[in-house]
Amino acid sequence: MHRILCYTDTKKVEKMRYKNSNIKKCLDTKTIARCAAFFLFCLLPLKGICQTGESTVDALVEMGFENVGWTEDDDERVYVLQNSAYRLQGVGIGKAVDVIQKTGLSEEKPCRIIVLDNNVPQISLYYHPLKGDSVPQAERKDWHVSYELGDAWESARKIKLKNSSLFKVDVLVYPQLAFKNLVITQIYQVLFDLSPAIEVSLWKGMKLTAQVKIPVYNDGYGRFEDKVHPGHITISQRFRLPYNVFGKVAVGCFSANQYGVDAQFYRPFKDERFSLMAQIGYTGMGYWSGFRYVYDPSTALVTWSVGGSFYWPQFNTQFNLKAEQYLLKEKGVKFEMMRHFRYCSIGFYAMKAEHAKMNGGFRFQVALPPYKYKRKGYIPRVNTSANMGIVYNAGNERYYYRQYKAEASDNIMEKNSFNPYFIKSELLNF
C-alpha cells in the first residue's frame, strides 16, 4: 500500500512538472509574441523610411498627380511630380509633401521634390534631416522652396515618369465678363460670354489652346460679339534655360483683335525676391466674323515690355515697374502692386505714356471651384477655368495703352502660382 502511494505521488509530481513546463512554454510564447508586437508597433513611425520611393510614387499617382517618378543616389532622394489633381498649386504641392513625409523619406539622405508644369521644371522643395536623428520627423515648415533644382536634376530628368500628362485633354469653360460706362442714360453696358477651350499638350512644354466664345448677354459691344466665334487659337512652347531663365513663345490668334507671335521671359535673381521680366510681340490686326477670320498684314508692329519685380514675402505682395510699347506704338511706364491670397489675387496699377494722360485702375483674379478634380485616364476632363478676373480702367481710357493677352490662361494669379515664397506660405498656413 505504501509503495502504491509513493508511486502515485511520483506520478502526480511528474504530471505537475509536465503541466508547469507547458505553462512555462506557453508563457514564453506569449511573452515573445507580445515583445514582437511591441517591437513592430515601435517600428510603425519608421515605415516611411523603410519603404522605397516606388510605393510613394504609386500613392501620388492614385491621388491624381501626373508625370510622377523618383530616383536616388548616394547624396539624396529625388521625387518628380506635376500637380494635376488640385486647382491651386500651393494646395496640391502641400498634399504631395504630406504623402512624401509619411511614406517616402530616406533614413539619412536629404529629399528633394521637383515640381513640373507641363513637363517643364519650375521649383524644388528640399528637406535635410538633422544628423543624429534616427527617426526624422519632417514637417511642412522644414522644406526649403526655391527655383534651384540641385545637381540631382540631371539624373532625375532621365527617369521614366508614371501617369504622363501628354495627349490628355482638358475642356475648360472660361466665364468672361466685360462692362463699360460710356452712356449717360445707362449705368453699364455689359458683355458676358461662356468661352470653352480645349487645352492639350502634345510634347514637353507645348500647349494647344482652341477656344470658342459663346455670347450669353451683349449690350453695347457690337454685332460681332453677338455671333458664336473663336477666341484664343494658340500653340505655345514653354521652356527653362540655364541660369533659371523661364520662357514661353506663343503663336496664333490673341485677344484685343491681334494675331502673331509673342515671347515672354522671366529671370529670378539669387535673392529670389528680385526678378527681371521681358516680353516682345510681333502682331497685326485681325478679328473673327463668325468663323471667318479677317486680318490686315499691313498693321503688323512690334510691342515690348521690360522691367523688374520685387516680392514682399511677409504679405505675399508683388511690385512691378516696367517700360512698355503699346499697340499704337506709344511708349510708357507702368507700375503694379498685387497682393496674392490662396483663392484670389488683387492688384492696382498706374501707367503713363506719351500722347496720353495718366491712367490707372485695379484688377483681381478669383479661383473658381471645384478645387480638386481628378482625371480618369485619357477621358477629356470638363471643368471651369482655374480662375476668373476683371481689369477695371478707372481713367476710362479707350484709345491708348492697348495690350493683348497671348493665352487664355494668362493672368496675374497664374503667373504667381509657382513663386517659391508663395508656395512656402501655403505650406505654413495650411
Side-chain angles (χ1 to χ4, degrees), residues 57-99:
V57 168
D58 293 338
L60 291 170
V61 170
E62 180 63 26
M63 292 173 64
F65 289 88
E66 296 176 342
N67 302 326
V68 187
W70 80 287
T71 187
E72 191 172 38
D73 57 21
D74 294 336
D75 297 322
E76 65 183 24
R77 178 177 290 187
V78 180
Y79 291 93
V80 178
L81 59 89
Q82 178 170 312
N83 171 37
S84 302
Y86 296 87
R87 307 297 291 273
L88 305 172
Q89 290 295 338
V91 173
I93 293 171
K95 296 290 185 180
V97 167
D98 292 340
V99 172

Side-chain angles (χ1 to χ4, degrees), residues 206-266:
M206 174 269 184
K207 184 169 77 170
L208 169 66
T209 302
Q211 185 182 44
V212 175
K213 287 191 172 186
I214 303 174
V216 177
Y217 183 80
N218 177 20
D219 179 16
Y221 277 81
R223 59 187 178 88
F224 293 114
E225 293 296 338
D226 281 333
K227 302 178 182 179
V228 177
H229 62 280
H232 284 85
I233 308 291
T234 58
I235 295 177
S236 63
Q237 178 66 49
R238 289 162 172 78
F239 49 87
R240 178 171 179 151
L241 301 175
Y243 304 104
N244 294 338
V245 176
F246 298 85
K248 182 184 77 171
V249 177
V251 178
C253 298
F254 307 149
S255 66
N257 295 330
Q258 297 293 306
Y259 73 95
V261 59
D262 176 81
Q264 301 178 25
F265 299 92
Y266 175 78

